Amino acid sequence: MGSERRHWAWAAAPLAPALLATGCISTSSAGTEPKPVPSTSAARSVARVCANPTAGPAKAPTGAVTVDPAVVGDLAAKTKNNPPNTTFWLRPGKHRLDPDRYAQVIPKKGNRYLGAPGAVLDGGKKNQYAFGGSARNVTIRHLTVQRFVAPPDEGVVNHDSADGWVIEHATIQNNSGAGLMAGAGQQVRASCLRDNGQYGMNAYKSTGRITGLVVEGNEIVGNNTGDWERRRKGCGCTGGIKFWAVNGADVRGNWVHDNRGTGLWADTNNNDFRIENNVLEANDGAALIYEISYNAVIRNNTIRRNNWVEGRRAAEAGDSFPFATVYLSESGGEPRIRARTDEIEIYRNVLEDNWSGITLWENADRFCNSPANTSSGDCTLLVKDVHRCAKPAIATAPLYADCRWKTQRVDIHDNRFVLDKSVVKCTEKCDRMAVLANYGTYPDWSPYKGEKVAEAITHKQHNRWHDNVYLGPWKFVVLDQSRVVGFGQWRSMSFRQDAGSTLAPRAGG
């Protein structure tokens, strides 16, 4: 796991869909403050899962084991004493585990946990985990899980990343660490992941890769209350949701808003993502980061008023890097890695009044076996043994290409980019679209020194903008962060970007 953030020189029941509009509907006003207040505008276009949770069954289903909130530890005890595939119905009220910090529910295969209206499993700020163990195909519905104190990077629900879990109509809130972990084939639907200390969900599995993950129709809000990026500077350890080494994910119809830091962050050898029909808004940092990962479709999303806090902070500190709302870092399409697409395609999205737009970036010093690779020990999916990426072999084919995560085959088209600086409350550095790299310097045996990577990402790796609509005073950063060009030069023979696109410089502010 790791986070090279910027520019270092070196089978579920049918659900009522949480559908959302992706048209360009302005929610801005000239009086908007630089730091967004918790959003209400998306209520018109996204199901408010947290405010209006779907109630569970008021009576125990036939054959279910009833769990009594008046008996401390009743849920864990009855789970232990009943066979696999048992359904448990939690009565209304506050359910407690035994006071031991490691007390938790260890489900058996196929268990189902259903909460009655008002059923809450409360950790009392004493228990670390709510549901753990390795049992497959566990279902949790209509239950609130709150006030557990998982350590950093660990989770409260599905603590051990077991496979096949289904979490629906749940509220997972006010926990330390991550509200939820993920395993292969997990489905998280119509749930509220709110105000957790580090992540709403940490999609990480210590052994093997997560496959077939579905995240649909959820509200993901207010996470990272512990402000972990400041406590561990540069840790890359936060997000409304963080994905690690996930192979195949559908992230659709979610409302991801008002998180401290990044909304959705895929970091380290993820592949085959579809991120579609979401509303991503008012997150302090980027709406979406796709980092050292592969092959994705990002479409039909409404992305608005993101990155105001982190972008402004960097600008005020004098940083000239184009901090983006959609940030692709060493990520691209790779036909040799099996997926539903062989590129990263970003299309039919609306980006409105964010701090900057889309940045495609590569760190020339970040590659397999380099000390500058913050995902230490990890290598690209094209090289199984990180130690092969060493001199002299790395300087020649095939390792010269395969030892480096590359931002390549990115197709950005038919999007609408709207910027009104009076809304964002900025005068400069909030209006950037970018494709760039740093000057390679490190380590001394690197074959990527100098401007090689900057030239490659800008001219040779098939990164293309076209057929977009721009409203507002947009600028474009190319090659490195010192070179800022206008729309005409961006489209010239030098860079050949945005064929078929339109720009209205004074529109929108």
Side-chain angles (χ1 to χ4, degrees):
M1 297 184 289
S3 153
E4 181 278 311
R5 284 296 305 274
R6 308 295 184 197
H7 58 295
W8 300 345
W10 34 225
L15 299 173
L19 297 179
L20 45 104
T22 56
C24 183
I25 302 173
S26 175
T27 59
S28 305
S29 67
T32 305
E33 294 297 326
K35 171 67 171 74
V37 298
S39 305
T40 59
S41 60
R44 294 191 297 272
S45 57
V46 183
R48 295 176 61 82
V49 177
C50 294
N52 299 297
T54 301
K59 296 182 179 179
T62 301
V65 174
T66 297
V67 182
D68 188 352
V71 179
V72 173
D74 197 38
L75 179 60
K78 286 179 174 173
T79 295
K80 182 178 179 180
N81 294 328
N82 281 278
N85 300 304
T86 298
T87 297
F88 300 88
W89 179 70
L90 284 74
R91 285 180 172 173
K94 186 178 290 185
H95 295 255
R96 299 275 195 175
L97 302 175
D98 290 334
D100 181 86
R101 63 186 295 191
Y102 297 112
Q104 58 191 285
V105 181
I106 306 295
K108 296 173 182 175
K109 182 179 179 180
N111 281 0
R112 295 171 294 278
Y113 298 88
L114 307 178
V120 177
L121 180 59
D122 193 301
K125 296 295 183 182
K126 295 179 180 178
N127 306 119
Q128 291 190 352
Y129 317 121
F131 294 91
S134 60
R136 298 171 59 91
N137 303 330
V138 172
T139 297
I140 298 171
R141 290 192 176 107
H142 306 292
L143 182 63
T144 294
V145 180
Q146 64 183 30
R147 301 206 313 147
F148 286 80
V149 286
D153 302 320
E154 298 186 37
V156 169
V157 175
N158 197 10
H159 168 260
D160 298 295
S161 301
D163 296 339
W165 285 40
V166 175
I167 294 91
E168 291 180 335
H169 303 296
T171 297
I172 304 174
Q173 63 183 10
N174 300 318
N175 302 288
S176 300
L180 177 63
M181 301 297 285
Q186 181 160 299
Q187 300 177 48
V188 185
R189 302 178 188 270
S191 292
C192 171
L193 308 181
R194 173 170 61 188
D195 296 336
N196 295 290
Q198 189 177 9
Y199 307 101
M201 182 171 75
N202 185 15
Y204 170 73
K205 194 175 180 73
S206 59
T207 57
R209 304 188 73 194
I210 296 172
T211 58
L213 179 63
V214 175
V215 182
E216 181 177 19
N218 305 284
E219 184 173 350
I220 302 153
V221 54
N223 296 289
N224 188 27
T225 59
D227 202 6
W228 279 96
E229 298 293 340
R230 285 198 175 186
R231 294 167 70 174
R232 295 181 181 174
K233 189 172 179 59
C235 70
C237 60
T238 58
I241 299 181
K242 191 74 182 279
F243 304 89
W244 312 88
V246 174
N247 186 25
D250 290 279
V251 183
R252 57 183 177 244
N254 303 285
W255 183 18
V256 184
H257 66 104
D258 296 288
N259 293 284
R260 175 178 281 170
T262 303
L264 302 174
W265 191 343
D267 184 356
T268 310
N269 286 339
N270 297 278
N271 176 51
D272 195 13
F273 271 53
R274 287 190 177 178
I275 301 170
E276 57 190 356
N277 299 317
N278 302 285
V279 169
L280 311 174
E281 68 174 332
N283 298 289
D284 285 1
L288 171 64
I289 297 177
Y290 206 67
E291 181 177 0
I292 59 171
S293 294
Y294 303 90
N295 299 327
V297 173
I298 302 166
R299 63 187 176 192
N300 298 329
N301 300 287
T302 297
I303 302 171
R304 55 196 177 202
R305 294 183 293 112
N306 296 281
N307 205 28
W308 288 15
V309 173
E310 292 188 5
R312 189 183 314 280
R313 183 185 299 145
E316 290 177 350
D319 198 327
S320 61
F321 187 81
F323 286 83
T325 287
V326 175
Y327 179 49
L328 272 60
S329 176
E330 297 96 12
S331 293
E334 177 49 74
R336 291 174 291 172
I337 298 173
R338 185 175 180 179
R340 290 167 288 183
T341 181
D342 61 3
E343 62 182 1
I344 292 182
E345 189 176 13
I346 303 174
Y347 68 102
R348 291 205 305 263
N349 302 285
V350 174
L351 284 81
E352 182 178 4
D353 292 331
N354 301 285
W355 191 280
S356 287
I358 298 174
T359 287
L360 308 186
W361 159 254
E362 275 193 45
N363 180 355
D365 299 329
R366 188 184 197 187
F367 53 90
C368 303
N369 216 24
S370 168
N373 176 23
T374 53
S375 295
S376 56
D378 286 296
C379 196
T380 70
L381 294 180
L382 301 173
V383 179
K384 300 302 182 184
D385 181 2
V386 65
H387 300 294
R388 292 179 60 206
C389 297
K391 64 177 184 181
I394 194 173
T396 59
L399 293 181
Y400 180 83
D402 291 351
C403 289
R404 193 179 101 235
W405 290 276
K406 290 183 285 189
T407 302
Q408 64 177 7
R409 299 173 59 84
V410 181
D411 189 7
I412 302 168
H413 65 93
D414 294 288
N415 302 285
R416 184 176 179 88
F417 301 107
V418 180
L419 176 64
D420 186 337
K421 286 187 174 183
S422 69
V423 171
V424 183
K425 302 289 187 185
C426 71
T427 57
E428 60 179 353
K429 298 181 182 177
C430 65
D431 52 2
R432 308 298 168 89
M433 208 72 62
V435 53
L436 77 163
N438 60 317
Y439 190 91
T441 62
Y442 183 77
D444 59 5
W445 51 270
S446 169
Y448 312 115
K449 288 184 178 179
E451 298 177 350
K452 294 177 182 178
V453 174
E455 288 287 340
I457 189 175
T458 306
H459 297 298
K460 301 175 183 178
Q461 292 180 183
H462 307 288
N463 297 314
R464 183 171 176 240
W465 280 255
H466 62 97
D467 297 297
N468 298 294
V469 174
Y470 295 88
L471 299 175
W474 289 95
K475 297 177 182 177
F476 304 87
V477 183
V478 291
L479 289 170
D480 64 68
Q481 62 195 52
S482 68
R483 187 164 184 179
V484 183
V485 302
F487 191 58
Q489 192 171 356
W490 173 247
R491 300 182 71 192
S492 71
M493 292 296 291
S494 297
F495 302 107
R496 299 183 180 183
Q497 294 291 358
D498 265 318
S501 299
T502 62
L503 171 67
R506 288 179 295 278

